[in-house]
Amino acid sequence: MKTWLVNTNTKERNGNPNAFKYMLRQNKAAAFYDRAPEVDKISKGDLVCLYHNQNRIIAIGAVVAPYLGHDFGDYEEIEHWVDVNWLWKAELDADYEPMNSIDRHDLGITMVNGTVVNVTEQVNYKVLLAKVAERQSF
């Protein structure tokens, strides 16, 4: 099992500031356009931390299906994704700002250089589980 940080790329200049809503609603971790093939490294059983701007993790989940390709049109170059069972998602306010995100630094993640980053060796899993438990709402 590996742990991946997947950037939601919500900055306006990236062309899809609402991608994080799509990923959370559709139970996906995705990358788009020239970064799309980076998702292909993620395997079933891996852990995904969905990374939002300002060092915030807004969802953590287990991959239930790897990227299997598209069965429609020319979308292969636009989006690749893995199906994720979100184990925890941050609460969002009316403006879709995360209210209880997890700071990646608190988990020991210091290196974020790309859209899909293997952070397996960086994550403190004991802290990760504690942070998730603190933020669970029922």
Side-chain angles (χ1 to χ4, degrees), residues 77-127:
E77 296 178 17
I78 296 173
E79 177 190 5
H80 289 201
W81 71 85
V82 292
D83 294 322
V84 179
N85 179 13
W86 296 120
L87 305 171
W88 169 81
K89 294 190 272 189
E91 294 180 34
L92 305 173
D93 67 15
D95 295 321
Y96 294 99
E97 286 296 320
M99 297 186 301
N100 62 338
S101 58
I102 299 171
D103 188 305
R104 68 177 171 89
H105 294 104
D106 292 345
L107 303 179
I109 300 172
T110 56
M111 181 62 178
V112 180
N113 214 2
T115 300
V116 178
V117 181
N118 183 343
V119 294
T120 305
E121 299 299 320
Q122 296 182 46
V123 174
N124 181 327
Y125 293 96
K126 184 176 180 179
V127 172

Side-chain angles (χ1 to χ4, degrees), residues 8-100:
T8 60
N9 287 319
T10 57
K11 293 179 182 168
E12 194 69 40
R13 71 174 186 261
N14 293 326
N16 195 355
N18 293 304
F20 75 101
K21 296 175 201 173
Y22 164 74
M23 290 186 228
L24 292 172
R25 289 180 183 142
Q26 298 299 318
N27 297 317
K28 292 181 176 186
F32 304 91
Y33 301 104
D34 60 328
R35 302 285 188 192
E38 292 183 26
V39 168
D40 302 355
K41 300 180 278 189
I42 302 174
S43 300
K44 181 178 180 179
D46 286 354
L47 195 64
V48 169
C49 298
L50 201 57
Y51 175 71
H52 207 56
N53 297 341
Q54 301 170 341
N55 299 315
R56 300 174 294 180
I57 294 173
I58 61 168
I60 298 169
V63 176
V64 295
Y67 178 66
L68 300 173
H70 292 283
D71 58 356
F72 50 91
D74 297 324
Y75 290 95
E76 199 71 33
E77 296 178 17
I78 296 173
E79 177 190 5
H80 289 201
W81 71 85
V82 292
D83 294 322
V84 179
N85 179 13
W86 296 120
L87 305 171
W88 169 81
K89 294 190 272 189
E91 294 180 34
L92 305 173
D93 67 15
D95 295 321
Y96 294 99
E97 286 296 320
M99 297 186 301
N100 62 338

